[in-house]
Amino acid sequence: MPVLPLPKNFYQRHPAAVAPDLLGKLVVRQVNGATLCGRIVETEAYGSDDPASHTARGMTPRNKAMFGEAGCAYIYFIHGLHYCLNVTARGDTPAGAVLIRALEPVSGVATMQKLRGRTSLPELASGPAKLTQALAIDKSLYGHDMTLPGPLFIAAEPERPAGPPLAVKATPRIGISRATDLLWRFVLVGSECLSKKQPV
DNA sequence: TCTCAGATTAACT
DNA sequence: GTTAATCTGAGAC
């Protein structure tokens, strides 16, 4: 059965509302005939009125996607070595995005292992730069519309287990130096693939 | 557990 | 021209 992307209006809300809803969703990446797929277990929200966000100092050629349409990929290069993947999300704010920080590999694992040069499952995508490497994401996908079927999109989990609801926990964001009091990082409690161990 | 190299982008002096 | 940034992996202690 086909996996359908989440609709655009899913992203037309405040990033701090979209971020927790993305947990448990699937990132689908199609490359060279292979389909790579992972479950989102960790996200962070970045708003427009947010001193920790790239948008805090206005629009630049790098961050212009965050001011554009909701549901698009915002990919940037950090520290000269690593890419990070965001999805733009905004409601009535001028800009915003959700950083995808960690995935749990679901399918195409062998390809991810090859791309990463690692075999341990929790090591494949347990960090923002790791998951872009595992999914072969680079700037060629900058601004890509993630609400349409294609090389990169986000889909709802096909079978939603009728068991207990997902345990979501909000924590301070990681790797930033400002606005650390905002609990805008969201994790799936108990996942083996978080970028940091969760103090339960 | 801690520190540090790696090397692009863009703001700031 | 200098510095800091949504980070990872390796090596020192």
Side-chain angles (χ1 to χ4, degrees):
Chain A
M1 101 177 206
V3 188
L4 295 177
L6 292 170
K8 181 144 295 192
N9 63 16
F10 178 87
Y11 303 100
Q12 290 169 339
R13 296 179 287 154
H14 193 280
V18 176
D21 279 359
L22 279 173
L23 296 175
K25 301 294 189 293
L26 297 177
V27 173
V28 181
R29 168 76 170 126
Q30 296 180 323
V31 58
N32 296 334
T35 299
L36 309 178
C37 180
R39 194 161 72 114
I40 299 172
V41 295
E42 183 174 342
T43 60
E44 282 180 12
Y46 288 89
S48 55
D49 188 18
D50 178 356
S53 170
H54 288 168
T55 59
R57 286 180 295 209
M59 184 163 60
T60 68
R62 183 173 67 160
N63 70 19
K64 68 179 184 202
M66 285 181 78
F67 292 85
E69 204 166 350
C72 292
Y74 167 45
I75 297 162
Y76 67 92
F77 205 48
I78 187 79
H79 289 82
L81 306 181
H82 303 293
Y83 291 102
C84 293
L85 171 67
N86 298 243
V87 193
T88 58
R90 59 197 192 88
D92 51 1
T93 55
V98 176
L99 170 67
I100 313 293
R101 283 193 58 88
L103 298 177
E104 194 176 286
V106 172
S107 64
V109 174
T111 303
M112 294 188 204
Q113 289 171 330
K114 187 177 165 191
L115 285 165
R116 289 275 295 121
R118 291 280 189 290
T119 54
S120 162
L121 275 192
E123 292 282 312
L124 286 182
S126 57
K130 295 180 190 178
L131 74 90
T132 56
Q133 189 181 6
L135 298 185
I137 290 170
D138 62 29
K139 288 200 78 170
S140 67
L141 291 164
Y142 186 97
H144 178 76
D145 191 335
M146 311 248 294
T147 64
L148 302 173
L152 178 66
F153 62 93
I154 297 179
E157 201 164 16
E159 80 260 21
R160 187 72 168 226
L166 302 171
V168 173
K169 185 181 172 72
T171 79
R173 290 173 290 181
I174 289 179
I176 58 173
S177 51
R178 312 190 61 178
T180 51
D181 56 325
L182 286 175
L183 299 181
W184 279 7
R185 171 176 176 253
F186 302 92
V187 303
L188 274 187
V189 177
S191 170
E192 291 296 314
C193 301
L194 301 179
S195 64
K196 282 200 171 179
K197 288 288 180 267
Q198 202 55 35
V200 183

